[in-house]
Amino acid sequence: MFFSTKHANEYIQANKHAINEHYKPSYHFTAEIGWINDPNGCSFYGGQYHLFYQYHPYSSKNGSMHWGHAVSNDLVEWNHLTVALAPDQDYDINGCFSGSAIEDNGKHVIMYTGHVQPNSEDHSLTRQTQCMAIGDGMEYIKIAENPVLTSEHLPDGCSIQDFRDPKLWKEGNHYYAVIGSRAEEGVGQILLYRSSDLKEWGYVGVLLKGNPSLGHMWECPDFFQLDDKHVLIISPQGVERDGYKHHNRDSVVYMIGDFDHSNGKFEPTSYDELDYGFDFYAPQTLIDDKGRRILIGWMQAWGRSIPVDDMGHGWSGMMTLPRELKVEGHRVIQQPISEIESYRRNRVHVRTALRGEGRIEGVEGVQLELMVSFKPKDASRFGLKVRQGKGEETLLYYDTAEGVFTLDRSSSGRSISTPPEEEGVNGRRSVPVALRDGVLSLRVFLDRSSVEVFIDGGVRTMSATIYPSSSSTGIVFESDGESELVVDKWDLDREG
């Protein structure tokens, strides 16, 4: 099949009305039709937020990657634009893979990975190069000098098949890019490059190299300064389980540390998994006109079945709610963007004592936000059930003896198969949480097919897709002893 942006856009317009929207999210981003994965080119340009994304418009399965494109004024309401990039050149004929975008001299500059894979059965023939496209916010033109980085720019001992996902930024008079790589001994690493004109690039060095416990390939790097520290975010593949960490086959971790500009080396001083749920991968950040560092992630995971694809709904994949990042000590804190509060409707506020199970009048639904705090007195386990209905429920609970919070989607609705690497942890994810002043505070966002939980003001987060019946709207609070319970609930209505 020959791919072009024109053909993709015509296909979308002709077929977008045929999809099944039963599970399509209300306030989380997804494409009009087809498959999406990694967020790309997250940027603030021309007074708007721009979100590009890995896109296969022709089916709800992963395929030849295009770059979809949408813009927003508030990171909640998105306007779909025409497809920005298609795999239509010799150097990207099998996919315009992930990358990033910046504003530069009034232009919108994209850097992405061109993917060539002559034989899907022979990985040795695969080649990945870095390419540029320049646009005006609507139309993007690949430059004649592409590709600007090839295997000739790799240091010795690097896989020429695994060289992808550039994150671009400008500092002073130079452009920089960090790019995911795989060392020949089978460990992930991040390479740093520099340019004065976006066309001629020079290798600076290895920003950071991993070890076997941190996976065999590091994808989708993001590197930035935040609150006087440097933060590196990576999506490593094949990470070994470590206690409660890395129960997904592919993980996302952040490292906080110090960057030496003189030698291009990053020295991490702390490290953690970025999200402890099921569905969170390949996040990317942007800086907006307010100076906020905002992160968007793909709320899905590789190697699992996706019910809307299985059911032939014509779409697959969504993004997380955008999150503002801050550094506090040795941690990255994630909080939902404040703009979401403009969509709150029908507040219910209750403060009560809870023992056993209980419901609260007016607290139920599919598209809503909950702010919940529990202060246990003699309770050893407490929490809530959301999207509860006949035989269906998603559990969010805390165990005081273990000091652990758990998200359990074992009975959340339509089943999701998982890869063999996740054997033993299917259906449940947990994370250690220390109660602050004896209180567990949760901020929970429910959409038609997802749940996102921000714990203790965003010290921990957990994201998951769920596929319950439309009638499963109940919310039940529970405590096996006595707990003080405070609840605020809002419906989230984009039509309001």
Side-chain angles (χ1 to χ4, degrees):
M1 181 178 183
F2 173 75
F3 295 109
S4 69
T5 55
K6 181 177 184 292
H7 186 270
N9 292 319
E10 289 174 348
Y11 181 88
I12 293 164
Q13 293 305 311
N15 293 277
K16 66 180 183 180
H17 303 294
I19 68 166
N20 186 322
E21 295 191 348
H22 178 74
Y23 284 113
K24 215 157 191 292
S26 169
Y27 60 92
H28 289 80
F29 178 83
T30 191
E32 295 176 287
I33 187 174
W35 163 283
I36 71 171
N37 56 286
D38 305 359
N40 294 156
C42 298
S43 51
F44 191 82
Y45 171 79
Q48 290 185 302
Y49 296 96
H50 288 254
L51 170 64
F52 302 86
Y53 48 93
Q54 291 287 274
Y55 191 28
H56 186 245
Y58 299 106
S59 79
S60 57
K61 299 183 185 298
N62 182 23
S64 295
M65 285 296 106
H66 297 55
W67 272 41
H69 187 197
V71 294
S72 176
N73 293 321
D74 68 356
L75 293 162
V76 181
E77 290 274 5
W78 292 93
N79 179 32
H80 296 282
L81 300 183
T82 55
V83 171
L85 301 176
D88 56 8
Q89 302 296 318
D90 290 343
Y91 52 79
D92 62 16
I93 196 65
N94 298 115
C96 297
F97 274 19
S98 290
S100 52
I102 62 170
E103 180 172 0
D104 185 52
N105 296 320
K107 296 295 185 180
H108 208 192
V109 178
I110 287 173
M111 189 175 193
Y112 72 98
T113 296
H115 181 69
V116 177
Q117 188 176 21
N119 185 344
S120 61
E121 302 298 321
D122 187 353
H123 184 61
S124 69
L125 300 177
T126 298
R127 296 294 182 269
Q128 295 183 335
T129 60
Q130 313 315 314
C131 310
M132 309 296 305
I134 310 295
D136 58 5
M138 292 292 293
E139 184 178 7
Y140 295 82
I141 306 298
K142 300 171 185 179
I143 68 173
E145 293 82 359
N146 280 340
V148 297
L149 280 169
T150 70
S151 57
E152 295 179 358
H153 296 85
L154 285 168
D156 292 339
C158 292
S159 165
I160 60 177
Q161 294 83 22
D162 299 287
F163 177 45
R164 56 186 176 268
D165 312 334
K167 181 61 190 290
L168 174 68
W169 75 95
K170 189 176 184 181
E171 196 170 327
N173 294 321
H174 286 90
Y175 304 90
Y176 293 85
V178 286
I179 304 175
S181 172
R182 180 175 183 172
E184 62 182 2
E185 61 266 41
V187 300
Q189 60 185 1
I190 303 301
L191 307 180
L192 178 64
Y193 291 85
R194 180 173 56 215
S195 174
S196 59
D197 62 2
L198 294 170
K199 299 174 183 178
E200 297 289 334
W201 288 82
Y203 171 67
V204 177
V206 178
L207 184 83
L208 186 67
K209 187 173 184 177
N211 57 59
S213 68
L214 268 179
H216 55 76
M217 173 63 190
W218 288 359
E219 293 193 309
C220 302
D222 201 340
F223 188 57
F224 51 88
Q225 188 170 350
L226 182 61
D227 300 332
D228 299 321
K229 285 290 185 180
H230 274 83
V231 178
L232 174 65
I233 297 175
I234 56 174
S235 295
Q237 298 179 310
V239 185
E240 297 177 6
R241 287 188 202 170
D242 179 14
Y244 291 101
K245 293 186 176 73
H246 312 308
H247 285 194
N248 297 327
R249 184 182 74 174
D250 301 318
S251 186
V252 178
V253 303
Y254 71 84
M255 303 177 194
I256 302 172
D258 301 306
F259 177 54
D260 188 337
H261 283 80
S262 66
N263 61 16
K265 299 292 186 184
F266 174 65
E267 294 290 341
T269 55
S270 63
Y271 147 90
D272 202 352
E273 196 163 6
L274 193 57
D275 190 284
Y276 279 78
F278 295 88
D279 297 296
F280 185 88
Y281 195 68
Q284 191 175 101
T285 71
L286 64 92
I287 283 280
D288 71 359
D289 59 335
K290 303 177 183 67
R292 298 181 298 177
R293 176 66 63 172
I294 296 170
L295 175 145
I296 301 173
W298 178 41
M299 194 155 42
Q300 195 58 65
W302 294 113
R304 303 202 185 118
S305 64
I306 302 175
V308 287
D309 171 50
D310 296 339
M311 292 183 287
H313 283 195
W315 68 276
S316 179
M318 71 187 85
M319 301 303 178
T320 64
L321 190 65
R323 306 170 180 185
E324 182 178 359
L325 303 186
K326 296 181 180 179
V327 170
E328 293 183 5
H330 62 282
R331 286 175 167 168
V332 168
I333 307 299
Q334 305 174 70
Q335 295 180 328
I337 47 154
S338 59
E339 287 88 339
I340 191 65
E341 297 171 17
S342 298
Y343 295 86
R344 289 171 169 175
R345 304 287 184 271
N346 307 321
R347 183 191 182 206
V348 176
H349 172 75
V350 172
R351 181 186 297 268
T352 186
L354 176 68
R355 183 183 290 273
E357 289 193 350
R359 296 176 182 262
I360 297 173
E361 184 177 355
V363 179
E364 62 178 359
V366 172
Q367 298 146 217
L368 54 83
E369 175 188 354
L370 293 166
M371 294 184 71
V372 184
S373 69
F374 291 90
K375 186 172 185 178
K377 292 187 176 180
D378 58 358
S380 59
R381 172 174 158 156
F382 51 89
L384 64 156
K385 303 173 182 177
V386 299
R387 298 303 307 272
Q388 194 268 344
K390 186 177 180 180
E392 296 180 341
E393 59 189 15
T394 298
L395 305 179
L396 310 172
Y397 64 89
Y398 187 80
D399 186 309
T400 58
E402 298 292 332
V404 168
F405 180 83
T406 296
L407 189 163
D408 186 340
R409 70 173 182 188
S410 300
S411 301
S412 290
R414 292 185 177 272
S415 63
I416 300 171
S417 66
T418 54
E421 295 91 335
E422 296 178 20
E423 183 178 354
V425 293
N426 293 341
R428 187 179 293 108
R429 294 290 183 270
S430 300
V431 59
V433 173
L435 300 185
R436 185 173 298 193
D437 299 323
V439 174
L440 174 70
S441 62
L442 305 175
R443 194 171 175 187
V444 181
F445 290 87
L446 296 177
D447 209 336
R448 290 175 183 150
S449 52
S450 67
V451 56
E452 287 181 271
V453 187
F454 296 79
I455 307 167
D456 190 19
V459 172
R460 304 288 195 194
T461 65
M462 304 182 84
S463 306
T465 56
I466 55 174
Y467 297 90
S469 305
S470 56
S471 59
S472 294
T473 62
I475 296 176
V476 179
F477 301 91
E478 58 181 359
S479 175
D480 66 0
E482 186 172 349
S483 295
E484 295 180 6
L485 174 66
V486 181
V487 178
D488 284 281
K489 164 264 177 184
W490 296 268
D491 296 325
L492 292 176
D493 184 2
R494 289 199 303 135
E495 304 301 324

